DNA sequence: ATTAGCATCCTTTTT
DNA sequence: GGATGCTAAT
């Protein structure tokens, strides 16, 4: 077996060393003074499994980073003997920075600090051959993954209209999240795709990945799991190596990650997981709250430490958030408290539509700005990214500087992906997906026909496309023109490849992009974006300088798809999704779009039922607890969905707020826009009554009425709701109860039709005019 | 082989 | 209302 490199360059005092003893004898180290008793327990309880339940704003990261510093200071382990896993790149960067702040350069040696995916990739590269890969395997992103699946579907003659590659990708991801190899997929689920071919397609896809010497995100976990299971000696080595293991955001781990962690921690069992069950918001991508709820069973003898003292928010905000989240069942339960002021009550404002919402929030922010508040301390947190546009448009109009966080990412841009495909072809000649992407970009006269030929040959001879191309240019099978183009392309790649070791990677990249004609292509392009694209390419080349070599850069790119080089000094308001806001805090937080269907998301409700509702509520909790001093909730009575204006109903989460801690506020200068919708809420007396007052109900009924077709079948009438949870309607329109085969329905776009089949929330409908379509149940009304 | 025009899908959330 | 992917026309 392959032994691990020695890493002797890292220094940390041996446990018995002078330095360690000096530190110990100096009494309590200074960094412990900054902690409260619970945090200190989280830091000092080093041996055995520990679960730290850290509520929002309770100093979780501080506890975690101090714990690392403590381990290092006591000499219990060296930096490279600590495994510290986070969920996002953002979190691991922050952790590294903060450990560095505590222990200085020592943090540099934390080479096992990173995301589950990054660490898995690192391990996998060291032992690639044991799982049938070469050490330079490519990591495919979602886009590549779908393109590959498309090919698999095509090869199997499966209609990818009826069975879209995207849907298959989601299923496969789901299986991988649950740690299921193709053979382990439950029969019932395997059946459910393409008439029972689900698992078989999964298996074929895995085969293709191996041929391509590639893995997808899920494989990073799956393959390292397999590596550990099939090679106990390798596993034992890592078990021995990691003297202390820390896991951040434990509530977000999926089954595969849990299994991975359990394997790797069985050695010394010094595992410390930090998390908050109330902030578990990634269930949709396989996170299992159960993991954290079950911790004590999984790690017998575990100590549980609760951090409940909140340092972030004022009293009313905390009260509102706590009351909201108390509507969830299945919590471990924490009671956050603060010694601080009550502060301002969170506000609740109703507006006519989403445009007025943007207008009102824009004005409110301007007002704060005039009062001297920093825009950096203001954020707008939305449920879904399409909500952002309205704010952007409005803010551009009024000249309010803003920044969208988590928007289209640098490495997802077309030109960047193309450039990377070139580099991947240079570094990893077997990377067919990359090759395919750029064979004809810029245009070289290598179209479908040529590619078809390449594919045939590659398939027959079981070689990568690049090699197929090489052979074909030497035969007579190609017409002269494509043959020449292909030959010169191959020649280029061969030449570039000889330069890998001769030139710094950023210079090589520049050369490749120029010689391939790629930059020229954009220079010729006259569309308005082309200049920006060229800038991005320059930026890419510049970013490469910081890496030791091309391979290291490509690794970084596949795993850390982000780049925020915007280093301007101007203050900006942040616009981001609620998911993206997790872990952040702001003085003032705007929470727009609290409407049924949008938040909670109808889709989540339809697909996940009660678990989905609770997750949405946790998201609301996350949103509220981001606010330090001001939280401002908005809901609109009308919103444009799929280009059509639809009346909306205030979110049930508004009913979950404690009326005593919330203030109902009229939108600033709303009347000038003739918004009669607002006044209803202004009249609502929220002080001495709950929201379930006659006034509130009237307000809601008003929204119903605005729907135009008063109380028709478009919504289930009160009283015979399909599913009820804690007195709440789960799904405003649950398919099962509403439409049966044969029923007449009406669809806004397709018109009247007859239901042919029902599949969960999807209906197959024979429309009178539009023919047979599969539509979401929520888009049709009984008709 | 390339392009323009048309149809269709969609809209969570991310490693 | 918008992007993406396909078909049909050049």
């Amino acid at each position: 077996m392959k032994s691990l490199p020695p890493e002797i360059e890292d220094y940390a005092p041996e446990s018995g060393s002078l330095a360690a003893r000096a530190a110990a004898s100096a009494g309590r180290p200074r960094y412990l003074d900054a902690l409260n008793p619970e945090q200190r327990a989280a830091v000092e309880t080093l041996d055995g499994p520990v679960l730290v339940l850290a509520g929002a704003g309770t100093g979780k990261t501080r506890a975690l980073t101090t714990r690392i510093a403590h381990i290092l200071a006591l000499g219990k382990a060296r930096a490279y003997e600590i495994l510290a896993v986070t969920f996002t790149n953002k979190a691991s960067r922050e952790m590294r920075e903060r450990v560095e702040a505590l222990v200085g350069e020592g943090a540099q040696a934390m080479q096992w600090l990173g995301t589950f995916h990054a660490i898995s990739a690192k391990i996998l590269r060291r032992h690639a051959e044991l799982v049938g890969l070469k050490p330079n395997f490519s990591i495919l992103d979602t886009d590549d993954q779908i393109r590959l699946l498309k090919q698999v579907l095509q090869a199997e003659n499966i209609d990818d209209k009826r069975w879209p590659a995207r849907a298959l990708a989601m299923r496969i991801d789901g299986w991988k999240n649950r740690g299921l190899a193709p053979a382990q997929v439950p029969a019932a689920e395997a059946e459910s795709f393409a008439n029972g071919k689900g698992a078989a397609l999964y298996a074929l896809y895995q085969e293709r990945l191996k041929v391509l010497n590639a893995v997808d995100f899920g494989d990073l976990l799956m393959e390292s799991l397999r590596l550990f299971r099939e090679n106990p000696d390798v596993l034992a080595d890592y078990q021995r190596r990691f003297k202390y293991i820390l896991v951040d955001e434990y509530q977000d781990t999926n089954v595969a990650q849990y299994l991975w962690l359990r394997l790797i921690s069985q050695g010394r069992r010094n595992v410390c997981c930090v998390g908050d069950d109330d902030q578990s918001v990634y269930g949709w991508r396989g996170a299992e709250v159960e993991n954290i709820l079950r911790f004590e069973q999984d790690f017998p003898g575990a100590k549980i430490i609760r951090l409940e003292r909140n340092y972030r928010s004022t009293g009313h905000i905390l009260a509102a958030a706590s009351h909201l989240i108390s509507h969830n069942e299945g919590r471990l339960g924490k009671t956050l408290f603060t010694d601080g002021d009550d502060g301002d009550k969170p506000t609740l404002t109703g507006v006519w539509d989403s445009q007025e919402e943007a207008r009102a929030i824009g004005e409110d922010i301007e007002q704060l700005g005039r009062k001297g508040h920093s825009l950096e301390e203001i954020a707008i947190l939305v449920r879904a990214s399409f909500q952002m546009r309205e704010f952007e448009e409005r803010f551009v109009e009024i000249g309010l500087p803003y920044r969208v966080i988590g928007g289209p990412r640098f490495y997802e841009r077309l030109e960047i992906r193309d450039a990377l495909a070139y580099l991947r072809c240079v570094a990893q000649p077997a990377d067919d997906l990359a090759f395919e992407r750029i064979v004809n970009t810029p245009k070289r006269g290598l179209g479908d026909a040529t590619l078809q030929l390449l594919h045939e040959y590659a398939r027959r001879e079981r070689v990568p496309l690049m090699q197929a191309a090489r052979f074909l240019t030497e035969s007579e099978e190609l017409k002269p023109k494509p043959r020449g183009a292909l030959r010169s392309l191959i020649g280029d790649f061969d030449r570039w490849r000889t330069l890998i070791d001769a030139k710094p990677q950023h210079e090589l990249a520049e050369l490749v992009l120029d010689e391939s004609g790629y930059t020229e292509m954009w220079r010729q392009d006259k569309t308005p974006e082309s200049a920006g694209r060229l800038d991005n390419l320059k930026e890419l080349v510049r970013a490469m300088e910081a890496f030791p070599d091309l391979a290291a850069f490509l690794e970084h790119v596949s795993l850390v798809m982000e780049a925020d080089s915007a280093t301007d000094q101007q203050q900006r308001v942040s616009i981001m999704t609620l998911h993206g806001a997790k872990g952040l805090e702001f003085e003032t937080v705007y929470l727009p779009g609290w409407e049924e269907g949008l938040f909670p998301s109808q889709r989540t409700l339809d697909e996940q039922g009660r678990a989905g509702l609770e997750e949405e509520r946790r998201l609301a909790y996350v949103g509220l607890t981001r606010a330090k001093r001001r939280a401002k909730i908005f809901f609109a009575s009308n919103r444009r969905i799929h280009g059509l204006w639809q009346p909306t109903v205030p979110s049930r989460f508004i009913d979950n707020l404690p009326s005593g801690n919330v203030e109902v506020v009229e939108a600033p200068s709303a009347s000038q826009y003739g918004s009669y919708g607002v006044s209803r809420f202004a009249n609502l007396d929220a002080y001495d009554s709950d929201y379930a007052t006659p006034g509130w109900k009237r307000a809601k009924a008003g929204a119903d009425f605005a729907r135009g077709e008063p109380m028709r079948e478009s919504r289930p009438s009160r009283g015979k709701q399909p599913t009820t949870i804690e007195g709440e309607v789960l799904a405003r329109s649950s398919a099962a109860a509403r439409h049966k085969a044969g029923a007449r329905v009406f669809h806004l776009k397709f018109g009247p039709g007859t239901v042919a089949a029902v599949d969960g929330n999807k209906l197959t409908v024979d429309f009178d005019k539009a023919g047979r379509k599969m539509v979401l149940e929520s888009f049709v009304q009984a008709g």
Side-chain angles (χ1 to χ4, degrees):
Chain A
M1 126 188 186
K2 192 168 163 179
S3 68
L4 303 177
E7 288 122 5
I8 40 172
E9 70 279 10
D10 308 309
Y11 176 74
E14 294 283 357
S15 37
S17 78
L18 262 183
R21 272 182 289 147
S25 68
R28 216 175 52 208
R30 220 172 15 156
Y31 54 77
L32 291 179
D33 293 343
L35 305 177
N36 65 38
E38 295 75 32
Q39 290 173 327
R40 201 171 302 148
V43 167
E44 293 187 307
T45 312
L46 290 180
D47 296 320
V50 179
L51 175 64
V52 179
L53 283 174
T58 55
K60 174 198 70 164
T61 310
R62 158 168 283 170
L64 209 44
T65 51
T66 309
R67 185 180 170 94
I68 293 175
H70 194 56
I71 292 170
L72 292 174
L74 293 187
K76 296 275 236 174
R78 301 165 198 228
Y80 58 85
E81 292 169 330
I82 299 173
L83 172 66
V85 209
T86 65
F87 201 64
T88 64
N89 294 305
K90 197 168 71 182
S92 63
R93 216 177 319 126
E94 187 186 349
M95 195 187 293
R96 185 176 295 278
E97 279 162 14
R98 291 182 59 170
V99 173
E100 202 164 336
L102 284 170
V103 304
E105 297 301 302
Q108 302 284 323
M110 295 273 308
Q111 50 182 291
W112 296 105
L113 187 165
T115 63
F116 275 102
H117 295 269
I119 288 172
S120 294
K122 191 167 183 169
I123 292 174
L124 218 45
R125 291 225 190 263
R126 296 181 156 189
H127 314 279
E129 68 287 351
L130 292 178
V131 290
L133 291 164
K134 292 184 208 110
N136 69 337
F137 60 81
S138 299
I139 300 170
L140 305 187
D141 63 19
T142 319
D143 211 70
D144 293 325
Q145 189 189 9
I146 287 171
R147 282 194 295 148
L148 185 57
L149 279 169
K150 253 185 200 155
Q151 292 175 13
V152 173
L153 287 172
Q154 222 152 40
E156 291 299 294
N157 277 319
I158 289 166
D159 179 13
D160 72 342
K161 279 255 165 43
R162 205 170 135 68
W163 305 105
R166 180 170 290 280
L168 180 57
M170 277 170 55
R171 278 175 205 249
I172 292 180
D173 280 346
W175 289 326
K176 288 184 176 175
N177 284 338
R178 284 154 59 200
L180 299 173
Q184 300 165 314
V185 173
E189 291 181 50
E191 302 284 305
S192 65
F193 192 88
N195 309 317
K197 290 188 132 180
L201 289 168
Y202 176 15
L204 282 169
Y205 168 69
Q206 291 306 117
E207 262 173 52
R208 285 289 296 149
L209 284 173
K210 284 281 143 54
V211 173
L212 292 176
N213 188 32
V215 298
D216 63 18
F217 282 124
D219 279 345
L220 291 172
L221 269 299
M222 285 294 284
E223 292 293 346
S224 31
L225 269 179
R226 197 156 71 82
L227 170 76
F228 289 152
R229 284 177 176 150
E230 294 175 1
N231 303 276
D233 49 339
V234 175
L235 174 61
D237 204 354
Y238 285 101
Q239 287 177 334
R240 226 173 300 123
R241 149 173 304 240
F242 297 130
K243 295 190 174 160
Y244 291 92
I245 298 174
L246 296 90
V247 184
D248 192 17
E249 306 279 19
Y250 188 63
Q251 77 282 354
D252 287 333
T253 51
N254 62 33
V255 171
Q257 287 158 339
Y258 160 73
L259 294 170
W260 186 94
L261 186 67
R262 214 180 46 174
L263 279 180
I264 227 167
S265 64
Q266 281 315 312
R268 305 180 182 258
R269 294 179 30 89
N270 293 330
V271 56
C272 171
C273 295
V274 181
D276 180 358
D277 50 320
D278 290 334
Q279 293 187 65
S280 166
V281 293
Y282 284 107
W284 51 274
R285 73 180 214 202
E288 296 270 342
V289 211
E290 311 307 320
N291 286 348
I292 195 166
L293 302 179
R294 241 193 11 235
F295 189 86
E296 279 180 287
Q297 284 105 282
D298 290 337
F299 296 93
K303 296 202 179 69
I304 311 270
I305 296 165
R306 283 185 159 77
L307 305 184
E308 296 174 299
R309 178 185 297 267
N310 178 290
Y311 296 100
R312 180 185 296 153
S313 310
T314 51
H316 282 307
I317 294 171
L318 216 50
S322 298
H323 190 262
L324 173 89
I325 199 63
S326 72
H327 289 77
N328 273 6
E329 289 172 18
R331 312 169 51 216
L332 288 171
K334 292 181 298 319
T335 316
L336 294 188
F337 63 93
T338 174
D339 291 341
D341 311 338
D342 282 349
D344 297 337
K345 291 179 181 175
T347 66
L348 175 62
T349 305
V351 291
W352 174 244
D353 63 16
S354 45
Q355 289 175 335
E356 190 188 313
E357 185 179 59
R359 215 155 34 214
I361 289 178
E363 272 170 47
D364 208 61
I365 293 174
E366 283 182 323
Q367 227 171 74
L368 288 177
R370 279 194 290 275
K371 282 193 236 158
H373 291 90
S374 164
L375 296 184
E376 290 294 319
E377 281 295 327
I378 299 176
I380 298 164
L381 310 183
V382 297
R383 174 64 182 84
S385 47
F386 72 82
Q387 292 172 263
M388 292 178 177
R389 181 180 309 164
E390 214 119 32
F391 290 101
E392 292 194 62
E393 281 169 5
R394 180 63 186 162
F395 293 174
V396 167
E397 213 174 307
I398 62 175
L400 181 64
Y402 69 90
R403 155 178 46 224
V404 170
I405 298 190
R409 279 171 294 180
F410 187 69
Y411 290 112
E412 280 170 6
R413 289 162 207 257
L414 174 79
E415 66 278 15
I416 301 302
R417 293 183 53 83
D418 285 343
L420 291 172
Y422 270 104
L423 297 174
R424 270 162 61 185
C425 282
V426 174
Q428 296 147 1
D431 195 331
D432 283 5
L433 290 158
F435 182 76
E436 224 174 317
R437 188 183 177 95
I438 49 80
V439 253
N440 204 26
T441 310
K443 305 265 177 284
R444 301 188 173 89
L446 297 170
D448 281 349
T450 312
L451 206 57
Q452 197 66 42
L453 222 57
L454 286 180
H455 267 300
E456 259 166 46
Y457 187 90
R459 219 182 166 66
R460 193 153 21 103
E461 302 293 320
R462 305 193 138 273
V463 295
L465 286 175
M466 184 81 77
Q467 209 175 331
R470 194 183 301 279
F471 284 122
L472 279 174
T473 54
E474 285 160 12
S475 75
E476 294 296 322
E477 286 176 65
L478 284 168
K479 297 216 170 69
K481 236 204 290 183
R483 189 172 155 190
L486 205 51
R487 179 175 298 164
S488 96
L489 184 66
I490 300 269
D492 284 342
F493 273 118
D494 287 343
R495 184 158 33 80
W496 296 329
R497 230 165 266 141
T498 63
L499 297 173
I500 290 184
D501 296 320
K503 265 184 178 306
Q505 67 283 356
H506 60 278
E507 283 177 30
L508 176 61
E510 205 164 6
L511 187 99
V512 169
L513 293 177
D514 284 339
E515 293 190 359
S516 62
Y518 191 73
T519 31
E520 186 57 25
M521 177 182 97
W522 288 117
R523 251 181 237 119
Q524 297 298 320
D525 188 280
K526 293 293 174 248
T527 55
E529 308 93 77
S530 59
R533 295 195 194 274
L534 284 165
D535 282 347
N536 289 335
L537 290 173
K538 267 197 210 116
E539 175 67 31
L540 177 76
V541 170
R542 211 159 50 87
M544 290 178 74
E545 290 176 28
F547 292 85
D549 56 39
L550 184 58
F553 174 72
L554 289 173
E555 178 86 353
H556 170 87
V557 166
S558 359
L559 292 170
V560 192
M561 296 275 265
E562 46 89 41
D564 43 359
S565 53
T567 47
D568 61 328
Q569 307 295 6
Q570 194 183 22
Q571 286 198 3
R572 291 159 189 279
V573 177
S574 298
I575 305 175
M576 64 183 95
T577 64
L578 286 159
H579 286 89
K582 206 168 87 160
L584 303 178
E585 57 178 31
F586 301 89
E587 291 279 322
T588 307
V589 165
Y590 291 87
L591 299 163
W594 281 41
E595 297 135 35
E596 283 296 300
L598 176 60
F599 191 35
S601 144
Q602 187 62 46
R603 192 164 152 181
T604 304
L605 261 39
D606 287 346
E607 287 171 7
Q608 317 276 344
R610 141 189 220 115
L613 173 62
E614 297 216 335
E615 178 154 317
E616 294 284 308
R617 192 179 279 117
R618 290 193 290 266
L619 209 42
Y621 174 77
V622 166
L624 274 170
T625 53
R626 298 310 96 193
K628 290 197 263 190
R629 309 205 66 85
R630 278 168 298 277
K632 304 183 178 220
I633 299 166
F634 288 74
F635 63 93
S637 306
N638 297 280
R639 189 169 293 273
R640 192 157 47 188
I641 300 160
H642 300 147
L644 291 162
W645 284 99
Q646 303 257 272
T648 52
V649 176
S651 171
R652 71 191 74 185
F653 296 151
I654 291 174
D655 293 330
N656 290 163
L657 297 170
S659 51
N661 299 294
V662 175
E663 187 181 357
V664 176
V665 168
E666 192 170 337
S669 60
S671 55
Q672 77 184 78
Y673 302 108
S675 166
Y676 63 88
V678 176
S679 56
R680 281 200 301 273
F681 300 109
N683 294 335
L684 183 67
D685 183 358
Y687 288 93
D688 53 7
S689 62
D690 208 74
Y691 293 104
T693 57
W696 188 248
K697 287 186 176 141
R698 237 181 299 120
K700 283 187 161 182
D704 287 352
F705 186 73
R707 194 170 276 266
E709 300 162 60
M711 317 292 154
R712 268 241 326 255
E713 276 292 327
S714 63
R715 305 170 4 79
S717 53
R718 300 98 269 274
K720 49 168 189 177
Q721 312 288 15
T723 322
T724 301
I725 288 174
E726 328 156 17
E728 296 172 282
V729 183
L730 171 61
R732 188 147 46 89
S733 45
S734 173
R738 290 193 58 222
H739 300 291
K740 292 207 170 68
R744 292 288 290 167
V745 293
F746 182 81
H747 188 278
L748 274 165
K749 197 159 154 201
F750 301 127
T754 308
V755 177
V758 182
D759 172 21
N761 63 332
K762 292 184 278 299
L763 305 178
T764 306
V765 182
D766 290 317
F767 288 106
D768 299 350
K769 294 231 171 62
R772 176 167 285 207
K773 306 268 181 215
M774 180 103 84
V775 296
L776 275 182
E777 186 280 335
S778 46
F779 284 26
V780 305
Q781 303 169 359

